[in-house]
Amino acid sequence: MLVKMGGAERVLDVLQGMYPDAPIFTLLYDEERCGKIFPKEKVIVSPLQKWSDFKVPRQFLVTKMPVAIESFDFSRFDLVLSSSSAFAHGILTPVHTKHICYCHSPMRYAWDYTNEYIRERGGGFFGPMKRWLMRRILHDLRTWDIASSDRPDIIIANSRTTQERIWKYWKKESEILYPPVDVNRFEVGKTHEDYFLIVSALTTYKKIEIAIQAFNRLKKHRLVIIGEGEDRNRLENMVESDTIEFLGKKSDADVAEFYKNCRALIFPGREDFGIVPVEAMASGKPVIAYGEGGVAESVLSGKTGIFFSEISPESLEDALLQYFQFDEKKKFSPEVCRKRAEEFSREKFEAGMRGLVEKISSGRKW
């Protein structure tokens, strides 16, 4: 779905740059949010678009998405690249068409996030009925998800973490190719303006509340939060210190300036990869992160960042204290952070993807 600009959409932008003449098929399309990057004339939408145009909430369309993704006709193509975090891997292709799936994650809310997802959305007066219905829907989605995982000719995981999830839920082998980060868009900052930074969608999954709770107690240290989302009101109501500031959505150029001038990035949730920490390192800044998931593959503990072991404000506070000790001893080098970020450059992604496309196009075995 092209309804917002996030990490998966930035990967798709690189893919369209590699193959500029290829059309883009998507379940849903928001021209206002994505039209500048993905022009309307290049985009082919599914039959669900008409419901989205009538402002039907996307969660009401989820049960229709498997059928919708299967409705696209790829018979005129020899090769299809899908970028999937939920449904795109389930496209139907003819025998002669090779299908490479770049997988950001098997759908989280249907697998390891199921119980938390139901708790978050299954409250209210009709809670028991909603929870029962959600469990039935998610069960059906899991059944479809497993069946459709057979459809790609090759699956590419965006990290070792995602590769493990692909094996756990789909029992499929996959290659690893880290997502592209346009490191040249960021300038190394060798000083700071004495604030810590969060750049994130404001949803419960991102665990921003533990940073707010930690900085409520630390008081004298500033925390700047960039991003929008459905959880913003709840998070703002948790703030007890005037050192915590919500800035909402910012342009890419503004975000780059905030990276450049911060002390360090705070990354409190668990992501399958996480492009934001790499962007921070590209700006010469260390990352303070929960040490599970993709960030453990990109950030080097003690060299380009510090990990905390539990998703809790106390664990984050301990990591912040460690950061101050490291900072006093000048252990974090902007140049080392930048060099690490360059390991995840757009150029490396493009070279890796072209190699995989050439391999499958030539008919060589994996």
Side-chain angles (χ1 to χ4, degrees):
M1 293 183 284
L2 291 176
V3 295
K4 62 180 179 62
M5 286 303 300
E9 290 73 23
R10 293 188 187 278
V11 172
L12 182 60
D13 184 27
V14 172
L15 290 173
Q16 80 165 344
M18 295 173 64
Y19 306 101
D21 297 328
I24 298 171
F25 293 76
T26 186
L27 285 170
L28 300 172
Y29 175 65
D30 187 323
E31 185 178 6
E32 183 178 344
R33 293 185 177 184
C34 301
K36 288 183 180 179
I37 306 298
F38 305 106
K40 185 176 182 179
E41 57 270 19
K42 288 190 65 174
V43 176
I44 298 170
V45 297
S46 78
L48 293 181
Q49 183 67 31
K50 63 178 181 290
W51 298 106
S52 183
D53 291 342
F54 286 128
K55 308 301 181 185
V56 175
R58 288 196 295 276
Q59 60 264 34
F60 294 156
L61 301 175
V62 167
T63 58
K64 309 297 183 185
M65 289 181 182
V67 172
I69 204 71
E70 292 171 353
S71 70
F72 291 124
D73 181 5
F74 296 103
S75 58
R76 62 192 175 100
F77 300 102
D78 294 322
L79 175 68
V80 177
L81 286 171
S82 66
S83 175
S84 182
S85 57
F87 296 98
H89 67 283
I91 60 173
L92 298 174
T93 55
V95 173
H96 74 272
T97 303
K98 299 296 185 182
H99 174 194
I100 298 177
C101 171
Y102 189 79
C103 182
H104 303 277
S105 172
M107 60 176 82
R108 278 201 163 277
Y109 52 84
W111 293 106
D112 49 332
Y113 194 58
T114 290
N115 291 320
E116 192 169 349
Y117 180 80
I118 291 172
R119 282 195 300 271
E120 289 172 5
R121 299 173 181 267
F125 182 78
F126 294 104
M129 183 180 296
K130 284 162 58 177
R131 291 191 292 274
W132 176 85
L133 182 60
M134 290 167 72
R135 291 193 185 281
R136 290 295 300 269
I137 290 171
L138 292 172
H139 171 79
D140 291 344
L141 284 177
R142 283 191 290 272
T143 302
W144 177 85
D145 196 45
I146 292 172
S148 61
S149 69
D150 280 330
R151 296 174 187 174
D153 293 281
I154 179 175
I155 299 172
I156 306 172
N158 70 349
S159 67
R160 186 169 61 252
T161 300
T162 297
Q163 185 181 58
E164 290 169 356
R165 297 183 72 250
I166 289 169
W167 177 254
K168 180 177 177 67
Y169 299 121
W170 293 352
K171 295 296 184 285
K172 300 296 178 186
E173 300 284 354
S174 58
E175 303 275 332
I176 296 176
L177 180 61
Y178 290 112
V181 180
D182 188 2
V183 295
N184 295 325
R185 192 163 61 86
F186 303 96
E187 184 179 342
V188 174
K190 297 187 178 181
T191 60
H192 63 75
E193 296 179 5
D194 198 23
Y195 64 84
F196 293 88
L197 180 66
I198 288 177
V199 178
S200 176
L202 303 184
T203 63
T204 54
Y205 173 70
K206 302 293 186 177
K207 305 300 181 184
I208 308 299
E209 66 269 17
I210 76 158
I212 293 173
Q213 291 165 348
F215 278 83
N216 276 339
R217 292 201 285 259
L218 293 171
K219 294 192 184 299
K220 66 178 181 179
H221 297 294
R222 289 178 63 205
L223 175 64
V224 173
I225 301 172
I226 293 176
E228 279 290 355
E230 60 190 20
D231 207 30
R232 178 167 178 171
N233 287 339
R234 182 183 74 89
L235 294 171
E236 286 187 322
N237 288 333
M238 293 176 64
V239 173
E240 298 171 0
S241 171
D242 58 8
T243 60
I244 300 173
E245 185 177 5
F246 285 79
L247 300 185
K249 183 177 176 58
K250 291 289 182 182
S251 69
D252 285 350
D254 286 342
V255 172
E257 280 298 305
F258 277 98
Y259 280 135
K260 178 183 173 183
N261 295 312
C262 73
R263 294 192 70 151
L265 178 82
I266 307 293
F267 196 73
R270 188 185 193 279
E271 295 283 349
D272 295 300
F273 178 70
I275 287 177
V276 166
V278 180
E279 292 180 341
M281 291 189 294
S283 307
K285 297 306 168 79
V287 178
I288 302 170
Y290 173 58
E292 296 285 341
V295 72
E297 301 173 53
S298 60
V299 174
L300 302 176
S301 180
K303 294 182 179 179
T304 68
I306 291 172
F307 295 138
F308 52 97
S309 59
E310 297 177 359
I311 298 182
S312 70
E314 294 79 13
S315 190
L316 173 54
E317 285 181 60
D318 290 342
L320 283 163
L321 292 174
Q322 188 178 358
Y323 161 81
F324 289 121
Q325 293 169 1
F326 275 48
D327 192 47
E328 278 185 16
K329 298 175 182 177
K330 308 294 183 185
K331 285 194 173 183
F332 293 122
S333 162
E335 290 77 19
V336 171
C337 289
R338 173 71 179 204
K339 186 176 181 180
R340 179 58 178 169
E342 289 171 350
E343 294 296 312
F344 304 93
S345 69
R346 175 174 180 156
E347 291 76 15
K348 291 200 172 188
F349 173 84
E350 289 182 352
M353 181 60 75
R354 285 197 174 95
L356 291 167
V357 169
E358 181 182 345
K359 193 173 182 180
I360 198 170
S361 299
S362 67
R364 283 179 283 163
K365 293 183 178 180
W366 296 93

